[in-house]
Amino acid sequence: MKNIDLVEGKVAFIDQNKLPHVLDYVVTDDYLVIADNIKRLSIRGAPAIGVSAALGIAVTIQRMEEESLANLQKRFGEICDFMAVVRPTAVNLSWAVNRIRKKMESSSPKSVEEFKRILLQEAKDISQESEDESRSMGLFGASLLPDNCRVLTNCNDGMLCAVSYGTAAAAWYVAKEQGKQIEVIACETRPLMQGARLTAWECMYNHIPVTVCTDSMAGYAMAQGMVDVVMLGADRIALNGDTANKIGTYMLALLARAHGLPFYVVAPTSTFDLTIETGREIKIEQRNPEEVTHCGGSRIAPEGVSVLNPAFDVTPGTLITSIVTEKGVIHSPFTNGKIKSHCLG
Amino acid sequence: MKNIDLVEGKVAFIDQNKLPHVLDYVVTDDYLVIADNIKRLSIRGAPAIGVSAALGIAVTIQRMEEESLANLQKRFGEICDFMAVVRPTAVNLSWAVNRIRKKMESSSPKSVEEFKRILLQEAKDISQESEDESRSMGLFGASLLPDNCRVLTNCNDGMLCAVSYGTAAAAWYVAKEQGKQIEVIACETRPLMQGARLTAWECMYNHIPVTVCTDSMAGYAMAQGMVDVVMLGADRIALNGDTANKIGTYMLALLARAHGLPFYVVAPTSTFDLTIETGREIKIEQRNPEEVTHCGGSRIAPEGVSVLNPAFDVTPGTLITSIVTEKGVIHSPFTNGKIKSHCLG
């Protein structure tokens, strides 16, 4: 099953705001519907946002009845401008929009039909490449998972953040295809509960045994011998391996170290920021306090209380056993040179 | 302010189910109302349960118009039998009921009036002793908190679990009375959110600056240099210092160790189980899965998903810097002999 697909000239995607209660696909050929769903987080995760934006623009252009190439190009430019800023911090969004924009410039189509055909192909290529990348991460990641492996993870780094497979989850999906028994422990991932809502749902949907626990139970689970491996995604990785990821990741890395468990990060090479030497240069975004004061639609904490709400934390590269990308596995210790040659080589 | 008080012959207590939204006292002279509120968790915490049960029985007996001592004693026995099992696992409940029962047996009152007077005095003594114990823990605990100290804690070990002051919270309340600046970081304490709901509320009520974070943010807060000390309560302590406490405590102890922060446990000597050598002998209660699958009244996780829900975890004594009781401070390393002589000496 795919999270995002092209079906009879339209984009079909899972409405994640309805999960885990209802599996519902939205099917649309309107970029405005895609944009709205990216804003409402019913499409989330870097690869999913980029691919759905590219496909959304392409299918919108397909059904336009402009007779002049110039007019079509004008509308295309306007739609790209609009789409690129729907979520300002989503790097993959502007990356995907820029890629199709550059493609249309460099390929100089001579007709409306040619313009439409090249655009659709480029959007399909972006989608396919994203899927291939997930599949590669899955193959390399699966090589780190023995048979009968119990993997603890947080947030959602699965098919729901990508076209299919995802990043960290790709490893256990591929391992399962290879005939290995894999079990997942999904930390719920307060404040937004992506682990309990999304990772639990997609594991069940894909017949991977999954157990949900609160984030505070990870240490207990390790001490009880319930965990073999910690494996999760990344938002940004520095040249020394320092990794920004969902809040709570740093804590899991310390717990894994204390229990002698391997701690694996799975992310495409596009996640590496080759301009920063260490994690100290990563600015940590503070999000809306209401995410912490509320849960399940209800207020939990007193009115007016102070709140911490960092979106992510930084795990030192020294706590990470290996980083898996679509190109292979980088083992610790991580160095500037090792990471650069992996990403650029 | 007190959590439980005797006001004009009735028991007044805070309805914790209405916190943090509304501060509401229930005032009653009916033991059935007390029992119902213990069951509904509007009275919670070992000392609070014991004291409210004793006071509830005493005020109920005060207003009875039995003219014969034998009849009054019979009613007293029935009420004690009923009250002792309202929450079967609450050791303090049966302890308090047994104490007043024994007192009434040993003191052999000669009249209805004498029976009522001795019973009321014994219940008041239980309450006063509990308050004195909190106050002592507060004094010893405060000695470990320097001026301008930022204390990270979890769950609720404050006035809301006792008559006033509480256990760990007693330390920062006394430190504040001594003129020290204290700030509290309250981990929300999933699944039941006692940190976000109760500790945050009582700190604000008592003018102690407090910040709420999710349990997953504790490592981030320590790495950012926001924490000076971890201080929290205990449910049961073994002879080697191994401490069972609210789920997530073990994780905080590992994080404190990794960041070189002192980790203090505050609990009355009655919390020590002198019959067990290590924490391995402590059975960990698994609670209702719905506490994890739901939050704020809403379902978070998919129907039918497996769940971990241990009520507490065990922190090795080797990760604990000091244990504070009403008798003083026990510093690590903890030994059988040191702990026995502290508790029994």
Side-chain angles (χ1 to χ4, degrees):
Chain A
M1 188 187 58
K2 289 188 179 187
N3 180 37
I4 302 165
D5 209 353
L6 209 52
V7 179
E8 295 174 5
K10 298 187 177 191
V11 183
F13 62 88
I14 295 175
D15 182 347
Q16 297 193 29
N17 283 326
K18 293 189 179 166
L19 290 178
H21 311 298
V22 179
L23 171 59
D24 198 12
Y25 277 88
V26 178
V27 182
T28 183
D29 58 5
D30 186 347
Y31 73 101
L32 289 172
V33 173
I34 299 283
D36 182 51
N37 280 279
I38 290 173
K39 270 191 189 158
R40 298 194 309 114
L41 304 183
S42 31
I43 301 170
R44 51 156 281 287
I49 290 173
V51 169
S52 63
L55 289 173
I57 294 169
V59 297
T60 301
I61 292 292
Q62 298 308 301
R63 66 166 166 74
M64 284 196 169
E65 294 178 359
E66 300 286 349
E67 291 180 7
S68 110
L69 180 59
N71 282 354
L72 193 66
Q73 282 170 320
K74 185 164 169 287
R75 285 293 290 132
F76 171 72
E78 290 163 358
I79 292 172
C80 287
D81 291 345
F82 174 86
M83 194 62 110
V85 293
V86 161
R87 272 191 74 189
T89 55
V91 176
N92 254 55
L93 179 61
S94 52
W95 171 85
V97 172
N98 283 338
R99 175 164 156 182
I100 55 172
R101 212 198 294 257
K102 276 185 192 157
K103 177 71 183 181
M104 297 322 295
E105 279 165 16
S106 66
S107 59
S108 314
K110 298 291 178 293
S111 68
V112 164
E113 291 65 36
E114 195 186 354
F115 186 96
K116 289 182 175 178
R117 193 179 63 246
I118 294 173
L119 175 60
L120 185 61
Q121 191 55 52
E122 187 68 6
K124 282 182 179 173
D125 287 353
I126 289 175
S127 178
Q128 187 60 51
E129 287 165 24
S130 174
E131 214 176 333
D132 293 346
E133 210 172 67
S134 280
R135 179 89 196 153
S136 290
M137 282 185 273
L139 281 164
F140 290 117
S143 73
L144 300 173
L145 301 179
D147 194 13
N148 295 311
C149 186
R150 292 142 332 150
V151 185
L152 184 137
T153 192
N154 70 357
C155 200
N156 177 262
D157 301 299
M159 52 173 268
L160 292 171
C161 77
V163 177
S164 65
Y165 289 95
T167 59
W172 49 86
Y173 291 138
V174 170
K176 182 171 191 283
E177 289 170 10
Q178 294 171 342
K180 294 177 188 168
Q181 289 288 332
I182 304 287
E183 286 182 36
V184 171
I185 295 182
C187 293
E188 64 178 15
T189 318
R190 273 278 285 155
L192 295 184
M193 298 287 193
Q194 294 95 334
R197 289 192 299 118
L198 305 179
T199 298
W201 177 85
E202 72 166 80
C203 284
M204 289 174 84
Y205 191 87
N206 291 297
H207 305 291
I208 304 239
V210 62
T211 301
V212 172
C213 66
T214 68
D215 306 312
S216 58
M217 293 169 191
Y220 165 85
M222 293 182 193
Q224 295 284 312
M226 296 176 178
V227 180
D228 299 306
V229 157
V230 178
M231 187 176 264
L232 34 70
D235 284 293
R236 205 164 167 205
I237 306 175
L239 283 167
N240 67 345
D242 289 359
T243 294
N245 189 43
K246 179 63 57 193
I247 186 68
T249 300
Y250 167 53
M251 182 181 84
L252 295 179
L254 283 172
L255 296 178
R257 176 61 54 94
H259 292 88
L261 300 175
F263 183 89
Y264 299 127
V265 169
V266 185
T269 48
S270 56
T271 310
F272 286 85
D273 185 340
L274 304 179
T275 69
I276 58 172
E277 294 288 331
T278 79
R280 280 194 297 276
E281 296 170 61
I282 301 177
K283 193 180 171 308
I284 295 182
E285 172 198 358
Q286 298 289 327
R287 292 177 55 85
N288 188 339
E290 293 206 347
E291 293 178 356
V292 173
T293 56
H294 289 62
C295 188
S298 303
R299 170 173 279 280
I300 306 293
E303 289 282 348
V305 74
S306 294
V307 156
L308 290 183
N309 192 13
F312 51 83
D313 55 28
V314 177
T315 299
T318 50
L319 291 175
I320 299 169
T321 311
S322 307
I323 302 174
V324 179
T325 77
E326 78 282 8
K327 295 186 176 180
V329 183
I330 321 172
H331 295 291
S332 64
F334 306 110
T335 61
N336 188 314
K338 196 191 273 189
I339 283 180
K340 269 190 182 156
S341 73
H342 178 93
C343 291
L344 305 174
Chain B
M1 188 186 56
K2 289 188 179 185
N3 180 36
I4 302 167
D5 209 353
L6 207 53
V7 179
E8 295 173 4
K10 297 187 175 189
V11 182
F13 62 88
I14 296 175
D15 183 347
Q16 297 192 30
N17 284 325
K18 294 189 178 166
L19 292 178
H21 310 298
V22 178
L23 171 59
D24 198 13
Y25 277 88
V26 179
V27 181
T28 183
D29 57 6
D30 185 347
Y31 73 100
L32 290 170
V33 173
I34 298 284
D36 183 52
N37 280 280
I38 289 173
K39 269 192 189 155
R40 298 194 310 115
L41 304 184
S42 31
I43 301 172
R44 51 157 280 287
I49 289 173
V51 169
S52 63
L55 289 174
I57 294 170
V59 297
T60 302
I61 293 292
Q62 298 308 302
R63 66 166 166 73
M64 284 196 168
E65 294 177 0
E66 300 287 349
E67 290 179 8
S68 109
L69 180 59
N71 283 353
L72 193 67
Q73 281 170 322
K74 183 163 172 287
R75 286 293 291 133
F76 171 72
E78 290 163 359
I79 293 173
C80 287
D81 290 345
F82 174 87
M83 194 63 111
V85 294
V86 161
R87 272 190 75 189
T89 55
V91 175
N92 255 55
L93 179 59
S94 52
W95 170 85
V97 172
N98 283 337
R99 175 164 156 180
I100 55 172
R101 211 197 294 256
K102 278 185 191 156
K103 176 71 182 182
M104 297 322 294
E105 279 164 18
S106 67
S107 59
S108 316
K110 299 289 177 295
S111 67
V112 164
E113 290 66 38
E114 196 187 352
F115 187 95
K116 289 182 176 177
R117 194 180 61 243
I118 293 173
L119 174 61
L120 185 61
Q121 189 56 50
E122 187 68 6
K124 281 182 181 174
D125 286 353
I126 289 175
S127 177
Q128 185 61 50
E129 287 166 25
S130 173
E131 213 176 335
D132 292 347
E133 209 172 67
S134 281
R135 177 87 197 157
S136 289
M137 282 185 273
L139 279 165
F140 290 117
S143 73
L144 300 172
L145 302 179
D147 194 14
N148 295 310
C149 185
R150 290 139 338 147
V151 184
L152 184 137
T153 192
N154 70 356
C155 199
N156 177 262
D157 301 299
M159 53 173 268
L160 292 171
C161 78
V163 177
S164 65
Y165 288 97
T167 60
W172 50 86
Y173 291 138
V174 171
K176 182 171 191 282
E177 289 170 10
Q178 294 170 340
K180 293 176 186 168
Q181 289 288 331
I182 305 288
E183 285 182 38
V184 170
I185 297 183
C187 293
E188 64 179 15
T189 318
R190 273 281 282 156
L192 295 184
M193 297 289 193
Q194 294 93 334
R197 289 191 300 116
L198 304 179
T199 298
W201 177 85
E202 73 166 78
C203 284
M204 289 174 85
Y205 191 87
N206 291 296
H207 305 291
I208 303 238
V210 61
T211 301
V212 172
C213 67
T214 69
D215 306 311
S216 59
M217 294 170 190
Y220 165 85
M222 292 182 194
Q224 294 284 313
M226 295 176 178
V227 179
D228 299 307
V229 157
V230 178
M231 188 176 263
L232 34 69
D235 285 292
R236 205 163 166 205
I237 307 176
L239 282 167
N240 68 345
D242 288 359
T243 294
N245 189 44
K246 181 62 56 193
I247 186 68
T249 299
Y250 167 54
M251 180 182 87
L252 295 179
L254 283 171
L255 296 178
R257 176 61 53 94
H259 292 88
L261 300 176
F263 184 89
Y264 299 127
V265 169
V266 185
T269 49
S270 56
T271 310
F272 286 85
D273 185 340
L274 304 180
T275 69
I276 59 174
E277 295 288 329
T278 78
R280 278 194 299 276
E281 297 169 62
I282 301 176
K283 193 179 171 311
I284 295 181
E285 171 198 358
Q286 298 289 328
R287 292 176 56 84
N288 188 340
E290 293 206 347
E291 293 177 357
V292 173
T293 57
H294 289 63
C295 188
S298 303
R299 171 173 278 280
I300 306 294
E303 286 289 342
V305 74
S306 294
V307 156
L308 290 183
N309 191 15
F312 51 83
D313 54 28
V314 176
T315 299
T318 50
L319 290 174
I320 298 169
T321 310
S322 309
I323 302 175
V324 179
T325 77
E326 78 281 9
K327 294 185 177 180
V329 183
I330 321 173
H331 296 291
S332 64
F334 306 110
T335 62
N336 188 315
K338 198 191 272 189
I339 283 180
K340 270 191 182 154
S341 72
H342 179 92
C343 291
L344 304 174

